[in-house]
Amino acid sequence: MAEKTCCVTGHRDIPEARIAYVEQELRREVEEAIAEGYTRFISGFAEGVDLMFAAIVAEQMEHRPELFLEAAIPYAGRLKTKNQQFQKLLRACKGVKVVCQEYAPSCFMQRNRYMAGESQRVIAVYDGRECGGTLFTMRYAHSIGREVREIRI
């Protein structure tokens, strides 16, 4: 049987009052995906939703060694961030995919296309804005026939 893969897309700027709700819903989605046989989880490792998702998967990996967390990094220089949570979660990953060696304005969109293309399910934490990477990724995922599970904030 082929490996089942799930990725996340979402905003960096979650309103303070919604953080606990988003974390609870992401946790529920990850647990449901695991129960449905998903074992590979891809995070873009941006601030906000991406790191929250990676932390939840890393926590699950402590009890489920079959799970595979992958960091999809938009450009190589991003690996040098001083963000301690990023670095800690990166160490928990079993795989790292660097999409572009050099920064380019399109590297984030390329990273998002990679994640959706690799996944059967995309979890989207979305606030309704009419532009940006989350909306792009949701539309792209729909266009290539992926399941999109939306957490509305």
Side-chain angles (χ1 to χ4, degrees), residues 8 12 42-47 50-51 70-81 86 90 96-115:
V8 72
R12 290 176 175 87
I42 307 173
S43 170
F45 266 64
E47 304 285 324
D50 289 9
L51 289 179
E70 178 180 332
I73 307 299
Y75 62 98
R78 178 80 177 108
L79 292 167
K80 296 178 181 145
T81 181
F86 177 105
L90 192 64
V96 176
K97 167 72 172 176
V98 177
V99 177
C100 297
Q101 285 307 304
E102 302 291 327
Y103 171 81
S106 65
C107 67
F108 294 96
M109 295 298 186
Q110 288 179 50
R111 185 245 353 243
N112 294 347
R113 271 193 217 96
Y114 165 77
M115 293 192 310

Short mmCIF file of all heavy atoms in Angstrom, two decimals, residues 8 12 42-47 50-51 70-81 86 90 96-115:
data_model
loop_
_atom_site.label_atom_id
_atom_site.label_comp_id
_atom_site.label_asym_id
_atom_site.label_seq_id
_atom_site.Cartn_x
_atom_site.Cartn_y
_atom_site.Cartn_z
N VAL A 8 0.11 20.70 5.62
CA VAL A 8 -0.63 21.82 6.20
C VAL A 8 -0.31 23.09 5.45
O VAL A 8 0.79 23.27 4.92
CB VAL A 8 -0.30 21.97 7.71
CG1 VAL A 8 1.11 22.51 7.91
CG2 VAL A 8 -1.33 22.83 8.42
N ARG A 12 0.54 32.80 9.05
CA ARG A 12 1.58 33.03 10.06
C ARG A 12 1.01 33.81 11.24
O ARG A 12 1.49 33.67 12.36
CB ARG A 12 2.74 33.82 9.44
CG ARG A 12 3.54 33.02 8.45
CD ARG A 12 4.62 33.90 7.81
NE ARG A 12 5.48 33.13 6.95
CZ ARG A 12 5.24 32.88 5.67
NH1 ARG A 12 4.15 33.36 5.10
NH2 ARG A 12 6.07 32.17 4.95
N ILE A 42 3.86 16.66 6.16
CA ILE A 42 4.78 17.68 5.64
C ILE A 42 4.35 19.05 6.15
O ILE A 42 3.20 19.45 6.03
CB ILE A 42 4.79 17.69 4.09
CG1 ILE A 42 5.07 16.30 3.53
CG2 ILE A 42 5.83 18.70 3.59
CD1 ILE A 42 4.94 16.22 2.01
N SER A 43 5.32 19.78 6.66
CA SER A 43 5.12 21.16 7.13
C SER A 43 6.09 22.07 6.39
O SER A 43 7.25 21.72 6.18
CB SER A 43 5.38 21.26 8.63
OG SER A 43 5.42 22.62 9.03
N GLY A 44 5.60 23.25 6.04
CA GLY A 44 6.44 24.25 5.38
C GLY A 44 7.33 25.01 6.33
O GLY A 44 8.15 25.83 5.90
N PHE A 45 7.17 24.78 7.63
CA PHE A 45 8.04 25.34 8.66
C PHE A 45 8.06 26.86 8.72
O PHE A 45 9.03 27.46 9.16
CB PHE A 45 9.46 24.76 8.57
CG PHE A 45 9.65 23.56 9.46
CD1 PHE A 45 8.93 22.39 9.24
CD2 PHE A 45 10.53 23.60 10.52
CE1 PHE A 45 9.08 21.30 10.08
CE2 PHE A 45 10.70 22.51 11.38
CZ PHE A 45 9.96 21.36 11.14
N ALA A 46 6.96 27.50 8.31
CA ALA A 46 6.82 28.94 8.51
C ALA A 46 6.30 29.17 9.94
O ALA A 46 5.81 28.25 10.59
CB ALA A 46 5.84 29.53 7.50
N GLU A 47 6.41 30.41 10.40
CA GLU A 47 5.86 30.78 11.71
C GLU A 47 4.36 30.47 11.72
O GLU A 47 3.73 30.36 10.68
CB GLU A 47 6.05 32.28 11.97
CG GLU A 47 7.47 32.76 11.88
CD GLU A 47 8.31 32.38 13.07
OE1 GLU A 47 7.78 32.35 14.19
OE2 GLU A 47 9.49 32.07 12.87
N ASP A 50 2.27 26.43 10.49
CA ASP A 50 3.21 25.38 10.08
C ASP A 50 3.97 24.80 11.26
O ASP A 50 4.09 23.58 11.40
CB ASP A 50 4.21 25.92 9.05
CG ASP A 50 3.61 26.20 7.69
OD1 ASP A 50 2.37 26.15 7.55
OD2 ASP A 50 4.39 26.49 6.78
N LEU A 51 4.51 25.68 12.10
CA LEU A 51 5.28 25.18 13.25
C LEU A 51 4.38 24.53 14.30
O LEU A 51 4.77 23.55 14.94
CB LEU A 51 6.12 26.31 13.86
CG LEU A 51 7.30 26.78 13.01
CD1 LEU A 51 8.04 27.92 13.71
CD2 LEU A 51 8.26 25.64 12.68
N GLU A 70 8.26 15.64 7.77
CA GLU A 70 9.14 16.22 6.77
C GLU A 70 9.01 17.74 6.80
O GLU A 70 7.90 18.27 6.84
CB GLU A 70 8.77 15.71 5.38
CG GLU A 70 9.60 16.30 4.27
CD GLU A 70 9.22 15.77 2.90
OE1 GLU A 70 8.74 14.64 2.79
OE2 GLU A 70 9.43 16.52 1.93
N ALA A 71 10.14 18.42 6.77
CA ALA A 71 10.16 19.88 6.64
C ALA A 71 10.35 20.21 5.17
O ALA A 71 11.29 19.73 4.54
CB ALA A 71 11.31 20.47 7.44
N ALA A 72 9.44 21.01 4.62
CA ALA A 72 9.57 21.49 3.24
C ALA A 72 10.03 22.95 3.34
O ALA A 72 9.27 23.84 3.70
CB ALA A 72 8.24 21.39 2.50
N ILE A 73 11.30 23.16 3.08
CA ILE A 73 11.94 24.46 3.28
C ILE A 73 11.99 25.20 1.94
O ILE A 73 12.49 24.64 0.95
CB ILE A 73 13.37 24.27 3.85
CG1 ILE A 73 13.34 23.38 5.11
CG2 ILE A 73 14.04 25.60 4.11
CD1 ILE A 73 12.54 23.93 6.27
N PRO A 74 11.48 26.45 1.89
CA PRO A 74 11.39 27.13 0.59
C PRO A 74 12.74 27.44 -0.05
O PRO A 74 12.88 27.37 -1.26
CB PRO A 74 10.62 28.41 0.91
CG PRO A 74 10.72 28.59 2.38
CD PRO A 74 10.90 27.22 2.97
N TYR A 75 13.75 27.80 0.76
CA TYR A 75 15.08 28.09 0.21
C TYR A 75 16.12 27.79 1.29
O TYR A 75 15.84 27.85 2.49
CB TYR A 75 15.20 29.55 -0.27
CG TYR A 75 15.01 30.57 0.81
CD1 TYR A 75 16.10 31.16 1.44
CD2 TYR A 75 13.74 30.94 1.24
CE1 TYR A 75 15.93 32.10 2.44
CE2 TYR A 75 13.56 31.88 2.24
CZ TYR A 75 14.65 32.45 2.84
OH TYR A 75 14.48 33.38 3.85
N ALA A 76 17.31 27.43 0.85
CA ALA A 76 18.34 26.92 1.76
C ALA A 76 18.67 27.87 2.90
O ALA A 76 18.88 27.44 4.04
CB ALA A 76 19.61 26.57 0.97
N GLY A 77 18.71 29.16 2.65
CA GLY A 77 19.05 30.14 3.69
C GLY A 77 18.10 30.12 4.87
O GLY A 77 18.45 30.52 5.98
N ARG A 78 16.88 29.64 4.66
CA ARG A 78 15.88 29.58 5.73
C ARG A 78 16.33 28.63 6.85
O ARG A 78 15.94 28.79 8.00
CB ARG A 78 14.54 29.13 5.15
CG ARG A 78 13.42 28.98 6.13
CD ARG A 78 12.79 30.32 6.48
NE ARG A 78 11.68 30.10 7.39
CZ ARG A 78 11.69 30.41 8.68
NH1 ARG A 78 12.73 31.00 9.22
NH2 ARG A 78 10.65 30.18 9.44
N LEU A 79 17.17 27.67 6.52
CA LEU A 79 17.66 26.73 7.53
C LEU A 79 18.53 27.39 8.59
O LEU A 79 18.74 26.83 9.66
CB LEU A 79 18.45 25.60 6.86
CG LEU A 79 17.63 24.65 5.99
CD1 LEU A 79 18.53 23.79 5.14
CD2 LEU A 79 16.71 23.79 6.85
N LYS A 80 19.01 28.60 8.31
CA LYS A 80 19.91 29.30 9.23
C LYS A 80 19.17 30.17 10.25
O LYS A 80 19.81 30.88 11.02
CB LYS A 80 20.88 30.17 8.44
CG LYS A 80 21.81 29.35 7.56
CD LYS A 80 22.74 30.23 6.75
CE LYS A 80 23.61 29.35 5.87
NZ LYS A 80 23.89 29.97 4.60
N THR A 81 17.83 30.11 10.28
CA THR A 81 17.07 30.94 11.20
C THR A 81 17.50 30.69 12.65
O THR A 81 17.89 29.57 13.00
CB THR A 81 15.56 30.70 11.07
OG1 THR A 81 14.88 31.56 12.00
CG2 THR A 81 15.17 29.27 11.38
N PHE A 86 11.84 26.45 15.60
CA PHE A 86 12.12 25.94 14.25
C PHE A 86 13.26 24.92 14.32
O PHE A 86 13.12 23.80 13.79
CB PHE A 86 12.51 27.12 13.35
CG PHE A 86 12.90 26.76 11.94
CD1 PHE A 86 12.02 26.99 10.89
CD2 PHE A 86 14.15 26.22 11.64
CE1 PHE A 86 12.38 26.69 9.58
CE2 PHE A 86 14.51 25.91 10.34
CZ PHE A 86 13.62 26.14 9.31
N LEU A 90 13.00 21.00 13.59
CA LEU A 90 13.77 20.49 12.45
C LEU A 90 14.54 19.23 12.85
O LEU A 90 14.62 18.27 12.07
CB LEU A 90 14.72 21.58 11.94
CG LEU A 90 15.39 21.32 10.61
CD1 LEU A 90 14.36 21.24 9.48
CD2 LEU A 90 16.40 22.42 10.31
N VAL A 96 14.00 16.28 5.20
CA VAL A 96 14.02 17.71 4.91
C VAL A 96 14.13 17.86 3.39
O VAL A 96 15.02 17.28 2.78
CB VAL A 96 15.20 18.43 5.59
CG1 VAL A 96 15.24 19.91 5.19
CG2 VAL A 96 15.12 18.29 7.11
N LYS A 97 13.21 18.61 2.81
CA LYS A 97 13.25 18.90 1.38
C LYS A 97 13.46 20.41 1.22
O LYS A 97 12.64 21.20 1.65
CB LYS A 97 11.92 18.49 0.73
CG LYS A 97 11.69 19.01 -0.67
CD LYS A 97 12.56 18.33 -1.67
CE LYS A 97 12.14 18.74 -3.08
NZ LYS A 97 13.01 18.19 -4.09
N VAL A 98 14.60 20.80 0.63
CA VAL A 98 14.86 22.20 0.33
C VAL A 98 14.43 22.40 -1.13
O VAL A 98 15.00 21.80 -2.04
CB VAL A 98 16.35 22.56 0.54
CG1 VAL A 98 16.61 23.99 0.13
CG2 VAL A 98 16.74 22.32 1.99
N VAL A 99 13.42 23.24 -1.33
CA VAL A 99 12.81 23.38 -2.65
C VAL A 99 13.68 24.22 -3.60
O VAL A 99 13.82 23.87 -4.77
CB VAL A 99 11.39 23.97 -2.52
CG1 VAL A 99 10.76 24.19 -3.88
CG2 VAL A 99 10.52 23.03 -1.67
N CYS A 100 14.27 25.31 -3.12
CA CYS A 100 15.13 26.17 -3.94
C CYS A 100 16.45 26.40 -3.20
O CYS A 100 16.43 26.67 -1.99
CB CYS A 100 14.48 27.53 -4.19
SG CYS A 100 12.95 27.45 -5.12
N GLN A 101 17.55 26.32 -3.89
CA GLN A 101 18.84 26.58 -3.24
C GLN A 101 18.99 28.05 -2.89
O GLN A 101 19.51 28.39 -1.84
CB GLN A 101 19.99 26.10 -4.12
CG GLN A 101 20.15 24.59 -4.12
CD GLN A 101 20.23 24.00 -2.71
OE1 GLN A 101 21.10 24.39 -1.92
NE2 GLN A 101 19.33 23.09 -2.39
N GLU A 102 18.55 28.93 -3.77
CA GLU A 102 18.65 30.37 -3.55
C GLU A 102 17.25 30.94 -3.35
O GLU A 102 16.29 30.43 -3.91
CB GLU A 102 19.29 31.06 -4.78
CG GLU A 102 20.67 30.54 -5.13
CD GLU A 102 21.72 30.92 -4.10
OE1 GLU A 102 21.61 32.01 -3.50
OE2 GLU A 102 22.66 30.13 -3.88
N TYR A 103 17.17 32.04 -2.59
CA TYR A 103 15.89 32.71 -2.42
C TYR A 103 15.43 33.28 -3.76
O TYR A 103 16.22 33.85 -4.52
CB TYR A 103 15.98 33.86 -1.40
CG TYR A 103 14.72 34.67 -1.39
CD1 TYR A 103 13.60 34.24 -0.69
CD2 TYR A 103 14.62 35.85 -2.15
CE1 TYR A 103 12.42 34.96 -0.73
CE2 TYR A 103 13.44 36.57 -2.19
CZ TYR A 103 12.34 36.12 -1.48
OH TYR A 103 11.17 36.82 -1.53
N ALA A 104 14.17 33.14 -4.06
CA ALA A 104 13.52 33.77 -5.20
C ALA A 104 12.09 34.09 -4.76
O ALA A 104 11.54 33.38 -3.90
CB ALA A 104 13.50 32.83 -6.40
N PRO A 105 11.49 35.13 -5.30
CA PRO A 105 10.11 35.47 -4.88
C PRO A 105 9.13 34.31 -5.01
O PRO A 105 8.18 34.21 -4.25
CB PRO A 105 9.73 36.63 -5.80
CG PRO A 105 11.05 37.27 -6.15
CD PRO A 105 12.03 36.12 -6.23
N SER A 106 9.38 33.40 -5.93
CA SER A 106 8.46 32.28 -6.16
C SER A 106 8.73 31.07 -5.27
O SER A 106 7.99 30.09 -5.33
CB SER A 106 8.55 31.85 -7.62
OG SER A 106 9.84 31.32 -7.88
N CYS A 107 9.76 31.10 -4.44
CA CYS A 107 10.15 29.88 -3.72
C CYS A 107 9.07 29.40 -2.75
O CYS A 107 8.91 28.19 -2.56
CB CYS A 107 11.49 30.05 -3.01
SG CYS A 107 11.52 31.22 -1.66
N PHE A 108 8.29 30.31 -2.17
CA PHE A 108 7.24 29.89 -1.24
C PHE A 108 6.11 29.18 -1.99
O PHE A 108 5.59 28.16 -1.53
CB PHE A 108 6.72 31.08 -0.44
CG PHE A 108 7.76 31.66 0.47
CD1 PHE A 108 8.51 32.76 0.08
CD2 PHE A 108 8.02 31.10 1.71
CE1 PHE A 108 9.49 33.29 0.90
CE2 PHE A 108 9.01 31.62 2.54
CZ PHE A 108 9.74 32.71 2.13
N MET A 109 5.76 29.71 -3.17
CA MET A 109 4.73 29.06 -3.99
C MET A 109 5.22 27.70 -4.48
O MET A 109 4.46 26.73 -4.52
CB MET A 109 4.34 29.93 -5.19
CG MET A 109 3.68 31.23 -4.81
SD MET A 109 2.13 30.99 -3.91
CE MET A 109 1.57 32.67 -3.81
N GLN A 110 6.49 27.61 -4.84
CA GLN A 110 7.05 26.32 -5.27
C GLN A 110 6.99 25.32 -4.12
O GLN A 110 6.66 24.14 -4.32
CB GLN A 110 8.49 26.49 -5.76
CG GLN A 110 8.60 27.20 -7.08
CD GLN A 110 10.05 27.36 -7.51
OE1 GLN A 110 10.81 26.40 -7.51
NE2 GLN A 110 10.43 28.58 -7.88
N ARG A 111 7.33 25.78 -2.91
CA ARG A 111 7.25 24.91 -1.72
C ARG A 111 5.81 24.43 -1.51
O ARG A 111 5.57 23.25 -1.26
CB ARG A 111 7.74 25.68 -0.50
CG ARG A 111 7.84 24.88 0.77
CD ARG A 111 6.94 25.22 1.94
NE ARG A 111 6.12 26.38 1.89
CZ ARG A 111 6.24 27.42 2.73
NH1 ARG A 111 7.19 27.46 3.63
NH2 ARG A 111 5.40 28.42 2.66
N ASN A 112 4.85 25.34 -1.64
CA ASN A 112 3.45 24.97 -1.42
C ASN A 112 2.96 23.98 -2.47
O ASN A 112 2.23 23.04 -2.15
CB ASN A 112 2.57 26.23 -1.41
CG ASN A 112 2.87 27.12 -0.22
OD1 ASN A 112 3.54 26.71 0.73
ND2 ASN A 112 2.40 28.34 -0.27
N ARG A 113 3.38 24.16 -3.73
CA ARG A 113 3.03 23.21 -4.79
C ARG A 113 3.63 21.84 -4.49
O ARG A 113 2.98 20.81 -4.69
CB ARG A 113 3.54 23.70 -6.15
CG ARG A 113 2.58 24.57 -6.88
CD ARG A 113 3.03 24.73 -8.34
NE ARG A 113 2.75 26.07 -8.78
CZ ARG A 113 3.61 27.09 -8.77
NH1 ARG A 113 4.85 26.92 -8.38
NH2 ARG A 113 3.24 28.27 -9.18
N TYR A 114 4.86 21.83 -4.04
CA TYR A 114 5.52 20.56 -3.69
C TYR A 114 4.70 19.84 -2.61
O TYR A 114 4.39 18.64 -2.75
CB TYR A 114 6.95 20.81 -3.19
CG TYR A 114 7.54 19.60 -2.50
CD1 TYR A 114 8.00 18.51 -3.23
CD2 TYR A 114 7.59 19.53 -1.10
CE1 TYR A 114 8.50 17.38 -2.59
CE2 TYR A 114 8.09 18.42 -0.46
CZ TYR A 114 8.54 17.34 -1.21
OH TYR A 114 9.03 16.22 -0.57
N MET A 115 4.35 20.54 -1.54
CA MET A 115 3.64 19.91 -0.43
C MET A 115 2.29 19.34 -0.88
O MET A 115 1.96 18.20 -0.57
CB MET A 115 3.44 20.89 0.72
CG MET A 115 4.72 21.30 1.40
SD MET A 115 4.48 22.20 2.96
CE MET A 115 3.31 23.45 2.53
#
